[in-house]
Amino acid sequence: MRLIQLFTRASLLAITICVLVHPTGIAVAQVDRAGLDGTVTDPSGKVIPDVHVVAEMPDTGLRRETVSSPTGTYDIPELPVGIYTITFNHPGFKTLTFVDVKQVIGRTRTLDATLQVAGGEERVEVSTSSEQMDKSSDALGGRIEKVQAEQLPINGRNWTTLSALVPAAVDTGGSNQRSIRFAGRGRDDDNYTYDGIDATNIINQPQQPYVRLAIPLDAIEEFRIDAMLATAESGATGGPQLAVTSSSGSNRWHGNAFEYLRNNVFDAQQPVPVTTAPQPPLRLNQFGGAVSGPIVPDKTFFFLAYEGYRQQWGFPLLGYVPSSAFRARVLADSPELGPIMNGYPLGTAPTSDPDIDQFSSEGTQVVNENSAMIRFDQRFSEKTTAFVRFNYDRAVNTQPLASSGNYLEDLQQLTSTPVNGAIELLHIFNPSLVNEAKFGYNRGTANTYDLNHTGTPYAVSVSGFTTLNNNRISTGVGNSFSWIDNLTWIKGRHTVKGGVEIRRIQLNQGNTESGTITYASTAAFDTNSVSSATLNGNLPVNGLRKTQFYSYIQDEFKWTQNFSVNLGMRYSFFNIFHEVQGRANPFDFATCGPQGFCGVGASFGQPNYGNFDPRVAFAWAPNNNGRTLIRAGFGMYHEDGQLDDQNLPISNEVFAYSLSNKTIPDLSFPLTPFLSDTTGIVSPRAQDRRRKDTYVEQWGLSVQRQLPADFVATVSYVGSRGVNLLTLSEVNVVNPATGLRPYPDFGQVSWRGNKDDSSYNGFSVAVKRTFSRGLLISTNYMWSHQIDDGSNGSGDGDSLVPQNVACPACERASGIWDARHVLNANAIYQLPFGPGRPYLNQPGILRSIAGDWQLTSVALARTGFPVNVLVNRSAASTPDGNSTNQRPDLVPGVSVTPPGGKSIGEWINPAAFAVPANGTWGDAPRNIARGPGAWQIDFGVARSIRLSERAHLEFRSEFFNIFNHPQYGLPNATFGVPGFGSITQTVNTTTPVSPVGSGTPRQIQFALRLAF
């Protein structure tokens, strides 16, 4: 820690000196744009000053100019992503022109030029491998090109699926923002931006799993994922930086229309559970299109895209309901139970019990989603440009609602409406000074509607019958408003950037009342004798607000022509929430004393003001041809975590009621008369009001090398340490020595703070050829090991309450998503036959048959994730009364692996475990076992039919998991319950379960696409 403090002070001093020597304004980030720099020399290697450098984008007529400095260097910042022609001109030298120079998102491309002494012109085609050489940072990650988004087989057309195809990414199953993780970090560490604007779900970072089209694929020009070691200008969290840039119009008209369809007759059965029942019907259609072009040539352009998703998937329903005779008897004996009885569907088959029928039927999961994007670009002059972009998406998922694994006719509807907009104004004061101002709006919603047929807020449980669900509505809405200003200033060999963002966050959350009613038997139900009941009161929509501030300053310094240093500092002020009407009531024994409650309207805590994050990286080319790069870097990264983990004080507004026939002998439905005589209590949830912000230290070393045939190989070592990670625990537990609770007025209280830590080490090998001459190949291998204290920094199942809350260090083990070996690969290959290709390029029957074919493929493979073996224990049997996440004892000398080896029916050996003695904790370590690995290969084949010089029709067939390799989920890990150690599910089980994404059985999709 002392070393880090010294490094931080040294970095601040160095940056301050840079600013004093080279004063500059402030900026946020070039995360959605590109830069171009280099050195101009003559044939003898001497630098040439005052060279006129022009970068021109032929598609739009955009033109940027500069001149080389006295040291021969030049720099053109803030270029839109695209293809450029770069021209170097100086009296007495031959004009040098580089054609088809691709400027990619989030990177400064170094393009050195050697001018020949003579007149005339020299034209050079730049190697595509050079665009992959990163000479300005040591970030570990990768770029997804537009051709990959357009051509690779993607099950569900969710753009996030492609983010699993970079180093350090691992897909846990499902291929959505909630299933793909990076470099040992939790998903709450992910930072999504769209054209530099916040694009998270706000309530928590990832979009809902049923949201697939928040950004339509056609609306993406390209995107970059920096999994680790992002620079000060782009690294806003300790996790991956996922930066997407939108497509824009040009001087040429372009458009497309498409239809993708799936049908269950082409799909294989799920491998588990094994069934002989017919496959549920599936009808899935995705359709849409895009059009773009000029409104005023060279001045005003537009881009418009739309995509729709329609899915109907059969859902078998099976449960147990009252028989017709019992139904009639209950309605005669207790007519007031009519609303509850109406919630049960009629049975379809009798059982051995005359009061109980079996119910079976067919339900349907219906998913509708509509997404659109529109963008306008305007060139006011050669120095001033602007764009406006707006995205809208609405996803509605309606499906049967389960109850203890059974289904009746209750439904759950999930809705989400992501909205994102950006306005940008870019002005070039002179070739060395560029300013970019932005305003952004982002909205994420997550509403849940549990719909029963009783019309009551209660879930009704009758012994022998399937439980009826409650009627409950949960509302979650998040808005963020961002004001951003960017300024880049170039002085000699320095490119100094700085920035500021002010972000206002609104979080509106609430839910309706809900409860339970329990009948001990069918006889008790007949007489309306309620055994117990609960009711949690209505939580009115609370408005949480806070304003955040971010800034950074960074100097990209070309020390020599082949050695660059990137030195920066980022500052983050996350602030704390307050409730707009002062209704929230924080609870914290540590700061508010034995009463626990801090008082309605009390502060949620104290904000942290000291989040300064130094970043440093260098890139060295040992020889001047730049074909080999050695890079290294270090950085600190503070982050705010999940906003939904900072709202506990609002839950302390809700009163809970508990009723029992032990104290109310005549307890019956309806409950309203009994509630009026019952005093409600608040079951508190504690939040550490002195919490510290999470931060991550990262370091790395890498070597990049250009290989023949436009391949680039990168070998990297990376490491990180997470500090002050999200921690879930329990407070006011029983003192094992005294048998008493510290605060006797309360029972055990759930607690949330930031105390855990983690470590990560990884070794990566990546080989890629960007798309050129009809071929793209990308392969990434990663060995890594992540260790933590029970939290990788995220909520929603990524963090666990310790077995012994007094010993968090006892939880230290491999992290929940620690996969030691991960491999991903993808390829696009246009067969070399047809017009404009090496073979069969002349008209003829062979060209008509063999021409214009394309093959594509995606492969994913990983080893298994850890399995945490647990055991159900009562509070009375544990030393401190905490029964959460209790582990069993290990039986000495017995292997966790079954004697006959691992199988789907028995992956873990039950004989290896025993229930701990009363008053002791289990001695089995956390995550003692490993689940099965997974792999799948997707394959696509497409034929393009030319309709005219500019129009073509493409027919495509795509095969997901073409070899139908079963991808099993983790085994059932609760010792002592039926099925312990067996595997009964696949990896694609993210709720709500979906027929798209990775981890499914073999599926076949057909597509037709018209483009011009």
Side-chain angles (χ1 to χ4, degrees):
M1 183 60 71
R2 177 64 177 168
L3 180 62
I4 293 172
Q5 292 174 342
L6 291 174
F7 177 78
T8 302
R9 293 170 183 170
S11 300
L12 282 169
L13 179 61
I15 294 172
T16 303
I17 293 172
C18 287
V19 175
L20 292 175
V21 176
H22 307 291
T24 183
I26 52 179
V28 167
Q30 185 178 275
V31 295
D32 60 324
R33 289 177 171 267
L36 180 70
D37 67 11
T39 304
V40 188
T41 59
D42 64 15
S44 68
K46 294 181 178 179
V47 299
I48 309 176
D50 299 322
V51 176
H52 186 217
V53 185
V54 178
E56 186 170 6
M57 181 184 282
D59 281 351
T60 64
L62 176 71
R63 181 184 175 92
R64 294 279 299 276
E65 303 180 25
T66 190
V67 295
S68 61
S69 69
T71 59
T73 61
Y74 74 94
D75 196 317
I76 304 178
E78 302 293 344
L79 287 171
V81 171
I83 305 296
Y84 288 80
T85 298
I86 313 298
T87 304
F88 298 83
N89 185 279
H90 191 280
F93 291 88
K94 183 184 295 187
T95 297
L96 176 62
T97 301
F98 292 95
V99 297
D100 296 332
V101 178
K102 189 169 186 178
Q103 290 298 109
V104 302
I105 182 172
R107 288 294 182 266
T108 296
R109 179 172 190 156
T110 298
L111 184 64
D112 295 327
T114 301
L115 303 187
Q116 303 297 321
V117 180
E121 182 179 3
E122 179 184 7
R123 294 179 70 85
V124 177
E125 183 176 347
V126 178
S127 167
T128 57
S129 62
S130 64
E131 71 193 45
Q132 300 184 61
M133 304 297 286
D134 182 3
K135 299 182 179 180
S136 61
S137 77
D138 188 33
L140 175 71
R143 176 174 62 93
I144 301 299
E145 304 175 43
K146 190 173 185 65
V147 67
Q148 292 171 285
E150 291 178 343
Q151 302 298 330
L152 288 177
I154 304 174
N155 193 350
R157 289 181 55 80
N158 185 340
W159 73 270
T160 313
T161 300
L162 296 169
S163 66
L165 302 180
V166 301
V170 57
D171 187 354
T172 64
S175 298
N176 56 61
Q177 291 188 13
R178 291 175 178 260
S179 72
I180 300 173
R181 289 167 169 79
F182 301 85
R185 306 307 312 154
R187 62 190 180 197
D188 291 341
D189 302 335
D190 299 353
N191 182 41
Y192 296 91
T193 58
Y194 192 24
D195 292 327
I197 299 300
D198 171 38
T200 65
N201 192 41
I202 303 177
I203 297 173
N204 43 31
Q205 279 71 3
Q207 295 290 347
Q208 299 300 310
Y210 55 91
V211 172
R212 301 173 180 90
L213 310 177
I215 305 177
L217 278 174
D218 282 338
I220 296 175
E221 185 63 29
E222 62 181 38
F223 64 93
R224 174 175 294 281
I225 301 103
D226 286 339
M228 290 184 68
L229 291 165
T231 61
E233 65 172 334
S234 62
T237 68
Q241 312 302 305
L242 299 99
V244 182
T245 186
S246 60
S247 298
S248 59
S250 67
N251 280 324
R252 290 171 62 89
W253 286 89
H254 295 277
N256 68 72
F258 59 85
E259 167 86 15
Y260 291 75
L261 64 90
R262 290 246 320 270
N263 190 297
N264 64 283
V265 299
F266 301 107
D267 296 347
Q269 284 274 22
Q270 285 278 4
V272 287
V274 177
T275 178
T276 58
Q279 193 176 61
L282 170 67
R283 303 293 182 269
L284 196 159
N285 298 81
Q286 289 186 257
F287 51 89
V291 62
S292 65
I295 298 175
V296 179
D298 290 338
K299 291 289 186 181
T300 309
F301 311 96
F302 80 97
F303 186 97
L304 175 66
Y306 164 80
E307 185 163 351
Y309 182 101
R310 301 291 184 271
Q311 174 194 307
Q312 294 195 32
W313 189 27
F315 223 98
L317 307 180
L318 180 65
Y320 297 92
V321 299
S323 65
S324 296
F326 182 74
R327 184 186 300 264
R329 187 165 73 248
V330 169
L331 291 177
D333 295 340
S334 304
E336 63 275 14
L337 292 177
I340 295 178
M341 190 60 75
N342 291 336
Y344 291 105
L346 295 176
T348 56
T351 68
S352 58
D353 188 327
D355 292 342
I356 302 174
D357 278 357
Q358 185 184 74
F359 166 78
S360 62
S361 184
E362 187 73 25
T364 305
Q365 182 191 60
V366 179
V367 182
N368 294 320
E369 187 169 3
N370 293 284
S371 177
M373 179 275 239
I374 187 167
R375 171 171 167 155
F376 294 98
D377 287 79
Q378 176 67 43
R379 289 178 57 203
F380 296 103
S381 67
E382 290 295 327
K383 292 189 173 184
T384 305
T385 61
F387 78 78
V388 177
R389 175 193 50 76
F390 180 77
N391 280 66
Y392 176 87
D393 180 33
R394 179 168 174 80
V396 180
N397 183 103
T398 306
Q399 68 180 46
L401 178 59
S403 176
S404 301
N406 291 328
Y407 292 89
L408 297 180
E409 291 183 339
D410 296 339
L411 295 176
Q412 183 177 73
Q413 186 173 89
L414 308 170
T415 67
S416 184
T417 308
V419 177
N420 192 276
I423 302 173
E424 177 191 282
L425 180 66
L426 181 77
H427 182 71
I428 304 167
F429 292 98
N430 58 57
S432 298
L433 189 63
V434 179
N435 189 80
E436 175 192 49
K438 285 184 179 181
F439 171 76
Y441 170 66
N442 185 38
R443 180 179 177 87
T445 68
N447 298 327
T448 301
Y449 305 85
D450 292 344
L451 308 171
N452 65 22
H453 290 269
T454 67
T456 73
Y458 299 99
V460 181
S461 174
V462 180
S463 179
F465 300 149
T466 297
T467 298
L468 298 174
N469 290 288
N470 57 32
N471 235 24
R472 183 177 186 269
I473 300 174
S474 174
T475 300
V477 178
N479 298 305
S480 71
F481 305 84
S482 298
W483 292 266
I484 300 171
D485 190 72
N486 295 353
L487 190 70
T488 302
W489 187 59
I490 301 161
K491 180 67 173 179
R493 292 176 292 172
H494 295 267
T495 299
V496 183
K497 304 176 181 180
V500 64
E501 175 180 356
I502 299 173
R503 184 182 298 180
R504 178 66 172 174
I505 292 178
Q506 301 174 341
L507 204 61
N508 302 317
Q509 295 178 294
N511 56 258
T512 60
E513 63 180 4
S514 62
T516 63
I517 297 175
T518 301
Y519 292 90
S521 64
T522 55
F525 184 51
D526 183 18
T527 59
N528 193 13
S529 298
V530 174
S531 173
S532 62
T534 64
L535 178 66
N536 291 318
N538 172 67
L539 173 63
V541 174
N542 275 231
L544 300 179
R545 303 290 185 268
K546 66 177 177 177
T547 301
Q548 300 180 326
F549 174 82
Y550 309 94
S551 64
Y552 85 94
I553 187 167
Q554 175 177 298
D555 184 10
E556 295 177 7
F557 174 51
K558 277 190 168 298
W559 198 314
T560 65
Q561 187 176 345
N562 64 342
F563 189 88
S564 300
V565 177
N566 189 312
L567 186 65
M569 177 70 71
R570 189 176 185 91
Y571 175 74
S572 302
F573 173 66
F574 300 120
N575 213 336
I576 58 169
F577 276 123
H578 68 275
E579 206 281 319
V580 290
Q581 297 184 31
R583 293 172 289 186
N585 190 354
F587 187 98
D588 184 19
F589 288 122
T591 60
C592 298
Q595 75 272 17
F597 289 104
C598 305
V600 174
S603 169
F604 284 23
Q606 296 299 317
N608 297 294
Y609 296 95
N611 296 341
F612 291 93
D613 294 331
R615 318 271 171 89
V616 62
F618 73 80
W620 173 48
N623 49 58
N624 287 326
N625 62 21
R627 296 182 64 84
T628 300
L629 274 179
I630 299 174
R631 306 177 305 164
F634 172 85
M636 292 180 62
Y637 303 80
H638 276 86
E639 59 190 28
D640 199 19
Q642 182 183 138
L643 298 183
D644 200 34
D645 288 325
Q646 302 172 27
N647 63 358
L648 295 191
I650 69 173
S651 65
N652 294 330
E653 302 171 30
V654 178
F655 282 88
Y657 300 85
S658 180
L659 301 90
S660 172
N661 61 4
K662 293 181 179 180
T663 56
I664 310 175
D666 59 343
L667 185 63
S668 60
F669 178 84
L671 297 178
T672 304
F674 306 99
L675 291 171
S676 60
D677 296 328
T678 303
T679 301
I681 62 170
V682 174
S683 298
R685 301 176 71 191
Q687 182 167 299
D688 186 1
R689 298 171 75 234
R690 296 182 294 194
R691 66 184 288 270
K692 298 179 180 178
D693 292 330
T694 294
Y695 70 90
V696 182
E697 302 159 2
Q698 298 180 359
W699 55 89
L701 173 68
S702 66
V703 178
Q704 272 191 318
R705 173 69 181 177
Q706 293 187 37
L707 303 175
D710 292 332
F711 282 91
V712 170
T714 306
V715 179
S716 306
Y717 160 74
V718 289
S720 71
R721 174 174 175 251
V723 182
N724 298 331
L725 303 181
L726 173 69
T727 305
L728 305 183
S729 190
E730 303 285 335
V731 294
N732 204 38
V733 296
V734 173
N735 185 328
T738 64
L740 302 175
R741 299 185 187 276
Y743 305 101
D745 291 340
F746 296 92
Q748 182 172 303
V749 178
S750 64
W751 180 91
R752 187 169 294 175
N754 288 48
K755 291 188 176 182
D756 284 344
D757 64 19
S758 68
S759 67
Y760 176 85
N761 287 278
F763 175 77
S764 168
V765 178
V767 178
K768 182 175 182 179
R769 171 193 164 112
T770 59
F771 188 74
S772 65
R773 299 187 296 280
L775 179 64
L776 177 147
I777 298 176
S778 175
T779 302
N780 304 289
Y781 165 78
M782 190 89 184
W783 176 93
S784 64
H785 188 196
Q786 190 253 331
I787 301 173
D788 60 42
D789 294 339
S791 170
N792 61 12
S794 296
D796 296 336
D798 284 2
S799 302
L800 300 175
V801 173
Q803 173 181 248
N804 177 2
V805 298
C807 185
C810 300
E811 302 294 304
R812 196 155 186 85
S814 296
I816 186 173
W817 302 117
D818 173 52
R820 294 296 168 84
H821 303 276
V822 178
L823 176 71
N824 64 68
N826 65 97
I828 300 172
Y829 178 44
Q830 293 178 346
L831 272 61
F833 311 114
R837 299 181 185 179
Y839 309 106
L840 300 180
N841 48 33
Q842 299 301 314
I845 188 170
L846 288 179
R847 189 184 85 169
S848 300
I849 296 173
D852 293 315
W853 286 88
Q854 176 179 268
L855 305 178
T856 57
S857 185
V858 173
L860 300 171
R862 60 163 176 81
T863 52
F865 295 122
V867 177
N868 193 25
V869 177
L870 303 176
V871 63
N872 291 327
R873 302 184 68 188
S874 67
S877 66
T878 63
D880 62 359
N882 170 40
S883 61
T884 304
N885 294 328
Q886 295 299 306
R887 297 190 291 273
D889 280 339
L890 283 176
V891 176
V894 180
S895 173
V896 174
T897 302
K902 296 178 180 178
S903 66
I904 303 306
E906 191 176 66
W907 195 266
I908 302 174
N909 183 11
F913 302 96
V915 177
N918 286 345
T920 66
W921 282 291
D923 60 16
R926 184 173 70 94
N927 290 344
I928 189 174
R930 285 269 170 178
W935 64 266
Q936 81 171 65
I937 296 176
D938 304 333
F939 180 76
V941 57
R943 172 71 194 280
S944 181
I945 302 170
R946 296 173 186 261
L947 304 178
S948 68
E949 183 178 347
R950 291 200 58 206
H952 68 274
L953 182 68
E954 181 184 79
F955 177 76
R956 187 185 302 183
S957 299
E958 296 175 333
F959 306 82
F960 306 113
N961 193 8
I962 187 171
F963 297 111
N964 198 29
H965 175 69
Q967 298 178 75
Y968 297 112
L970 297 178
N972 299 324
T974 303
F975 174 67
V977 303
F980 168 70
S982 65
I983 296 177
T984 58
Q985 62 184 9
T986 60
V987 296
N988 192 349
T989 56
T990 302
T991 303
V993 178
S994 170
V996 300
S998 64
T1000 64
R1002 182 178 56 243
Q1003 299 170 334
I1004 301 176
Q1005 177 170 271
F1006 300 102
L1008 197 64
R1009 188 180 186 94
L1010 174 67
F1012 67 87

